[in-house]
Amino acid sequence: SFAVKVFADLGANVTLPCRLMHKDHLGGIRVKWTKVAADEALNEDVLLSMGFHKKTYGNFLDRVYLEELDNEDASLVITDVSMNDVGTYRCEVINGMSDTMQEVSLEVDGGLVDGVVFPYHPNTGRYNMKFEEAVQACADQAAVVASYDQLFEAWKDGLDWCNAGWLNDGTVRYPIKNPREPCGGANNGPGIRSYGRQDRETQFDAFCFATALKGEFYWLVQPERLSFDEAVQACLDDDAEIAKVGHIFSAWKLEGYDRCDAGWLADGSVRYPISRPRKNCSPTEAAVRLVGFPDKMHKSYGVYCFKADN
């Protein structure tokens, strides 16, 4: 049995083909899908089907199903494909005495667009967003909820964050570079800590992912400090909009934007982007610094604007 090759895009759904070699009904037949490892002892169960009874396992729990377009179809559909799914899959069809086996190899096109992952919480504070609210919050900030692969890339790149946030697969995780007591223990190595799949009504922060800017992010030079409403208006008067959190992270990470002035952003937060750490300006690390969510009446800050490409 030679392996069929199937290609999938990150985050998409993919069908791994498997046909039964006989005309019997699927009813009395066992179909078993396994992800094959180099060492057979490390094989992962994916799905087991015995007639109406179906079970999915581990990383594939509730994420895979049999296509069953007809009586001879034992093809496997994997939803929300991640880089972890790359590998060879074995389809075994056991029907009384006869046993057929087919192998399918899955390759995933990472297509990790250049982008930046940033942790996000609203002005209501930490651990205040259900899953759908996290999806909305990232969208409001010119971003999307990050995938596990995007968070993993960001972690490899140095992201260290002690608050757990939603990812787009409904799992809750946080990236730790420097293990410490309050953040999942000092004895655990660096890595992505996981709370696993959570009830979508539970409240956490979010990890958002913003891609390269399609426009210009800039500090608006103003003679005086502004309240939030004045800041919004000042950008509008400049034929722009007040910048979103996704914009400042994207400008900082992908364009090296650096400015030591605290400015209002669209969500009512005040931040400033430092890509060259120096005394008094995020001295120890390149970062987008959060001053906080001040009283919107206070005239203590400038503003960052964003002008979209036409």
Side-chain angles (χ1 to χ4, degrees):
S1 66
F2 68 96
V4 181
K5 231 186 188 114
V6 175
F7 294 88
D9 287 323
L10 197 59
N13 294 353
V14 66
T15 303
L16 307 185
C18 179
R19 304 289 298 170
L20 305 178
M21 297 311 175
H22 32 65
K23 298 283 183 262
D24 291 350
H25 191 270
L26 260 181
I29 296 172
R30 283 177 58 205
V31 176
K32 184 180 182 190
W33 276 93
T34 311
K35 189 176 181 199
V36 185
D39 171 356
E40 289 273 334
L42 299 177
N43 285 359
E44 288 174 71
D45 290 336
V46 177
L47 175 143
L48 181 63
S49 159
M50 297 159 73
F52 292 112
H53 180 73
K54 304 208 169 23
K55 189 168 160 64
T56 56
Y57 298 88
N59 191 22
F60 300 98
L61 198 63
D62 301 334
R63 210 163 57 86
V64 296
Y65 59 90
L66 288 186
E67 193 162 46
E68 297 185 314
L69 293 182
D70 57 45
N71 286 349
E72 297 165 43
D73 184 8
S75 302
L76 180 77
V77 179
I78 304 179
T79 61
D80 194 10
V81 168
S82 81
M83 292 313 267
N84 291 342
D85 295 335
V86 170
T88 302
Y89 292 79
R90 181 181 295 150
C91 166
E92 288 175 86
V93 180
I94 301 135
N95 176 26
M97 300 305 290
S98 64
D99 191 342
T100 26
M101 195 181 283
Q102 295 170 24
E103 291 202 340
V104 184
S105 129
L106 174 64
E107 295 197 8
V108 176
D109 177 9
L112 281 175
V113 193
D114 265 355
V116 54
V117 171
F118 60 96
Y120 188 76
H121 70 86
N123 61 354
T124 47
R126 297 268 185 220
Y127 291 179
N128 250 311
M129 292 184 294
K130 301 171 181 176
F131 180 77
E132 293 305 332
E133 292 166 340
V135 169
Q136 189 58 51
C138 290
D140 289 345
Q141 297 313 315
V144 295
V145 178
S147 69
Y148 173 80
D149 298 302
Q150 287 160 347
L151 183 66
F152 183 72
E153 290 298 318
W155 169 78
K156 284 201 304 200
D157 202 30
L159 184 62
D160 180 286
W161 196 254
C162 203
N163 292 78
W166 288 108
L167 294 179
N168 67 1
D169 60 359
T171 61
V172 173
R173 306 173 193 257
Y174 60 102
I176 294 295
K177 271 294 194 198
N178 312 308
R180 50 204 185 277
E181 226 11 87
C183 309
N187 300 332
N188 290 333
I192 295 189
R193 311 263 190 265
S194 177
Y195 288 179
R197 211 168 287 270
Q198 291 283 328
D199 176 341
R200 294 186 174 214
E201 296 298 301
T202 323
Q203 294 179 317
F204 293 97
D205 291 350
F207 286 99
C208 304
F209 177 79
T211 50
L213 294 176
K214 294 180 172 63
E216 185 200 357
F217 170 89
Y218 63 101
W219 168 261
L220 184 65
V221 177
Q222 284 282 303
E224 64 272 322
R225 304 291 168 155
L226 310 168
S227 71
F228 177 75
D229 288 346
E230 289 167 345
V232 170
Q233 191 55 49
C235 289
L236 290 174
D237 293 344
D238 203 44
D239 293 325
E241 58 174 310
I242 186 169
K244 297 175 171 169
V245 179
H247 297 145
I248 195 172
F249 272 95
S250 188
W252 163 74
K253 181 76 179 175
L254 306 176
E255 297 177 5
Y257 196 100
D258 180 286
R259 189 166 188 115
C260 205
D261 292 290
W264 289 105
L265 294 173
D267 66 340
S269 65
V270 170
R271 304 175 198 246
Y272 59 97
I274 300 295
S275 57
R276 294 179 289 107
R278 53 201 180 278
K279 194 170 178 239
N280 303 333
C281 298
S282 185
T284 58
E285 57 172 353
V288 172
R289 286 293 182 198
L290 170 65
V291 175
F293 291 87
D295 181 332
K296 289 186 170 180
M297 308 302 281
H298 280 185
K299 297 181 185 245
S300 307
Y301 305 101
V303 63
Y304 289 99
C305 304
F306 178 72
K307 199 171 283 188
D309 290 338
N310 296 331

